[in-house]
Amino acid sequence: MSAPQASPAPARSLHQRIRDDIEGRIHSGQWPPGHRIPSEHALMAQYGCARMTVSKVLSLLADAGMIERRRRAGSFVARPHPHIEQVALDIPDIPFEVAARGHRYQFELLARQLRKPRRGDAREAELAGQARVLALQCLHLADERPLALEDRLINPAAAPQAVDVDFSQTAPGSWLLQHVSWTRAEHRISAIGVDAARARLLQVPTGTACLVIERRTWRGEQPVTCVTQVFLGDSYDLVARFSPGGR
Amino acid sequence: MSAPQASPAPARSLHQRIRDDIEGRIHSGQWPPGHRIPSEHALMAQYGCARMTVSKVLSLLADAGMIERRRRAGSFVARPHPHIEQVALDIPDIPFEVAARGHRYQFELLARQLRKPRRGDAREAELAGQARVLALQCLHLADERPLALEDRLINPAAAPQAVDVDFSQTAPGSWLLQHVSWTRAEHRISAIGVDAARARLLQVPTGTACLVIERRTWRGEQPVTCVTQVFLGDSYDLVARFSPGGR
DNA sequence: CAGTGGTCTAGACCACTAT
DNA sequence: TAGTGGTCTAGACCACTGC
């Protein structure tokens, strides 16, 4: 009836130790991809614990993608999807990132328009249904030097207050991050040689290699914002850390 | 003593419905960032279920980063870290990706060396402790046209079989993905204008904008591989999808 | 149809910490 | 010290599915 711990304070909890054990067997190759993991009943007996404890472990491992669970069949070490891997990529807030690298951040609003969505523009296709869009172009500078050019569209229907914000003082990305929540985002990352117009604004020769991040966010089915950021490629990096299984 | 379901088969399980409810309150703004979520006891009473059920929900939400839990203090809606966001980025397998886009994939091994690690080379610093490294350079082609140039170092201590693989037939990235597991990876993504040597191999003018992915993987503390892939920027995109909270 | 995972209960003990 | 989350137990019922 009572529920005494196996040991008073195992430092690492029981389900953590079980998880470590199973992960160890998988990573060491002792349990290769496709290998059938003992059933919950078997593990329960093996570790001398309640079924719920091993069940929790296996559920977490399944969430993390390390194992697959099938009713009646059992749990199996996941075959790593051979063609796709996911990494957690940090999409940084530019002002913060610049400051973190010890540079002075500045921001310039180059253009602001509240206008109808343009037809035929791929970037604006998502927003075609809206009456108006708020279009902003701005420049991010680090130590007085241009770092990135940002073209942003904001859907006023999703962020009504945005229309009244003075974006000459606040970077729109930072403002949105703090004031508008979203439920889905998509990013495309590519490289371009900058066209003449952008080159002039970035004060580099036409054709200079730049990193392009295109980001779209939605709140439910409603588009919130769509932004294209063009970074000077040699002065900006994206960094992704990853441990497989998400944890 | 018995454990009847609240309703026979609620389609969506109870903890899922509770989770949806709480997520709804958070996303709708009804529970803004910093808001204190009712305690497990209160939620237990509110939903008429066992404490473990709401506990599971809150644990999952905490794992997903949507809430923060503090002993004695309670659970709180997480303040979105204003300066960093994480997205799940797909790091594709090049052969697969090319095929998926309907192109013919080809692969050329340009160079293969089993040699001592070079001192003074930043890329090889991690491998400096190793007796030998396997260095490969290869070219990925789509429809006979160069798509990406790959410089890869493999640590034979972590992947002994790699030394005997005929990489003129198998792309090393695909082979590694299928044969060697790893526990940690780091990626850097940037843009460069290609130098003359790479430009020649990629059959483009010097200075053409390219997307660079640098990827390092470890197995435990042991480095496994380090690869630099230079993509023609206009013919390659990385795509990241994201829903906040990780699910 | 028997075994598996999925879920839930009604408790319990514990560590931690804000008050 | 009282309230909170963290963990665990020893059951239970159910849906599903591969044998």
Side-chain angles (χ1 to χ4, degrees), chain A residues 85-87 89 91 177 182, chain B residues 85 87 89 91 177 182 241:
Chain A
E85 295 209 39
Q86 285 204 343
V87 302
L89 182 69
I91 298 284
L177 218 49
W182 46 272
Chain B
E85 295 208 41
V87 302
L89 182 69
I91 297 286
L177 219 50
W182 46 272
R241 292 162 295 98

Side-chain angles (χ1 to χ4, degrees), chain A residues 26-29 52 56 59-60 63 80-93 96-97 101 177-178 181-193 207-211 215 219 231 233-234 236-244 247, chain B residues 26-29 52 56 59-60 63 80-93 96-97 101 177-178 181-193 207-211 215 219 231 233-234 236-244 247:
Chain A
I26 293 175
H27 278 133
S28 72
M52 185 135 223
K56 177 176 186 172
S59 292
L60 290 175
D63 281 356
H81 208 149
H83 302 310
I84 279 190
E85 295 209 39
Q86 285 204 343
V87 302
L89 182 69
D90 291 332
I91 298 284
D93 182 56
F96 177 79
E97 197 65 16
R101 297 185 188 202
L177 218 49
Q178 289 172 7
S181 71
W182 46 272
T183 57
R184 185 164 61 94
E186 255 183 39
H187 299 79
R188 303 187 76 83
I189 299 170
S190 57
I192 60 162
T208 299
C210 286
L211 188 66
R215 172 187 170 99
R219 177 175 182 150
F231 293 89
D234 54 355
Y236 211 79
D237 278 345
L238 290 169
V239 178
R241 292 163 296 98
F242 185 58
S243 45
R247 197 149 302 257
Chain B
I26 292 175
H27 279 134
S28 72
M52 185 133 225
K56 177 176 185 171
S59 292
L60 290 175
D63 280 356
H81 211 155
H83 301 309
I84 276 189
E85 295 208 41
Q86 285 202 344
V87 302
L89 182 69
D90 291 333
I91 297 286
D93 183 54
F96 177 80
E97 197 64 17
R101 297 184 188 202
L177 219 50
Q178 288 173 7
S181 72
W182 46 272
T183 57
R184 186 164 62 94
E186 255 182 41
H187 299 78
R188 301 188 78 82
I189 299 170
S190 57
I192 60 163
T208 299
C210 288
L211 189 65
R215 174 186 169 97
R219 177 174 182 150
F231 294 88
D234 54 355
Y236 211 80
D237 278 346
L238 289 169
V239 177
R241 292 162 295 98
F242 185 59
S243 46
R247 197 151 301 255

Side-chain angles (χ1 to χ4, degrees), chain B residues 118-122:
Chain B
R118 288 184 187 129
R119 299 186 48 177
D121 184 333

Side-chain angles (χ1 to χ4, degrees), chain B residues 67-148:
Chain B
I67 70 174
E68 285 176 13
R69 315 196 71 188
R70 295 200 300 273
R71 288 188 148 102
R72 163 68 208 189
S75 300
F76 301 84
V77 177
R79 303 181 182 278
H81 211 155
H83 301 309
I84 276 189
E85 295 208 41
Q86 285 202 344
V87 302
L89 182 69
D90 291 333
I91 297 286
D93 183 54
I94 300 173
F96 177 80
E97 197 64 17
V98 169
R101 297 184 188 202
H103 302 295
R104 169 170 148 77
Y105 174 75
Q106 277 174 299
F107 166 77
E108 253 178 59
L109 182 63
L110 303 178
R112 179 190 180 282
Q113 279 185 301
L114 190 59
R115 58 166 170 78
K116 289 184 184 169
R118 288 184 187 129
R119 299 186 48 177
D121 184 333
R123 289 183 64 233
E124 308 198 9
E126 284 278 350
L127 295 160
Q130 307 300 324
R132 303 172 309 171
V133 296
L134 181 61
L136 303 167
Q137 186 180 49
C138 53
L139 188 64
H140 301 269
L141 302 101
D143 286 342
E144 331 288 322
R145 289 190 337 176
L147 172 67

Side-chain angles (χ1 to χ4, degrees), chain B residues 119-223:
Chain B
R119 299 186 48 177
D121 184 333
R123 289 183 64 233
E124 308 198 9
E126 284 278 350
L127 295 160
Q130 307 300 324
R132 303 172 309 171
V133 296
L134 181 61
L136 303 167
Q137 186 180 49
C138 53
L139 188 64
H140 301 269
L141 302 101
D143 286 342
E144 331 288 322
R145 289 190 337 176
L147 172 67
L149 193 59
E150 173 174 329
D151 284 285
R152 183 182 289 270
L153 300 172
I154 298 175
N155 177 8
Q161 327 153 61
V163 177
D164 302 318
V165 175
D166 177 9
F167 284 119
S168 65
Q169 298 304 313
T170 315
S174 309
W175 184 87
L176 278 169
L177 219 50
Q178 288 173 7
H179 292 84
V180 182
S181 72
W182 46 272
T183 57
R184 186 164 62 94
E186 255 182 41
H187 299 78
R188 301 188 78 82
I189 299 170
S190 57
I192 60 163
V194 283
D195 56 34
R198 281 174 164 151
R200 189 169 40 79
L201 292 167
L202 287 166
Q203 297 172 25
V204 293
T206 300
T208 299
C210 288
L211 189 65
V212 180
I213 302 178
E214 189 179 304
R215 174 186 169 97
R216 297 162 182 274
T217 61
W218 289 262
R219 177 174 182 150
E221 289 310 304
Q222 187 179 49

